[in-house]
Amino acid sequence: EADGSFRNSHGEYPNVVRSVAAELKVPLLDLTARTEAELVKLGAERAKEWFKQIPPDAAAGSPAAVRDDTHLNAYGASRVCDLAVVELEANVPELAAHLNRSSKNTKPVTPALEK
C-alpha cells in the first residue's frame, strides 16, 4: 500500500496452510510471511520493482499503462526464489544442503540473503 503496509490478497489461505503444516508436523516454507516482510522493508516505491508495471505505449498494442501489484515480474519472482532458499535453509536444512550454489550470476535481494 502507499503507506508502506502490506495488503493480504490471499485471504485465509496462508493461515490454513500454516495450520495444516503444524497439524501434520511437516516443514513449511512460509513465503507469504517472508515476502511480506521483505516488501514492507523495501517500502511502497521500491516494492513496485517486484511487480508487473508497464508504462503506456511500452508494449505493442497496449497504449494504456499496466499497474499490477498482485503478480510478480521476473525480477520479483527471482527475489522470491532467494527467499525460498532462506526458508529452505531455516526449515529443511538437510534438503538445503543439496542446493546448487555454483552459479555466479545470482545476486540475493539483501545482504542478509547472501551465502
Side-chain angles (χ1 to χ4, degrees), residues 20-108:
V20 170
E23 182 179 322
L24 296 177
K25 296 178 177 49
V26 296
L28 170 68
L29 306 185
D30 194 342
L31 294 178
T32 299
R34 187 70 75 160
T35 301
E36 176 180 344
E38 195 63 35
L39 291 172
V40 168
K41 187 169 35 172
L42 286 172
E45 279 307 305
R46 289 206 47 221
K48 290 178 184 177
E49 297 171 8
W50 287 33
F51 296 93
K52 187 176 179 182
Q53 308 283 325
I54 302 173
D57 296 318
S62 179
V66 174
R67 181 171 176 237
D68 181 346
D69 295 328
T70 300
H71 300 98
L72 298 167
N73 60 26
Y75 175 76
S78 68
R79 300 297 55 110
V80 172
C81 286
D82 291 337
L83 299 174
V85 169
V86 171
E87 282 289 299
L88 195 59
E89 290 172 334
N91 295 292
V92 196
E94 60 277 11
L95 185 57
H98 298 283
L99 293 172
N100 180 350
R101 300 185 180 272
S102 63
S103 174
K104 294 181 181 14
N105 297 324
T106 58
K107 184 176 185 204

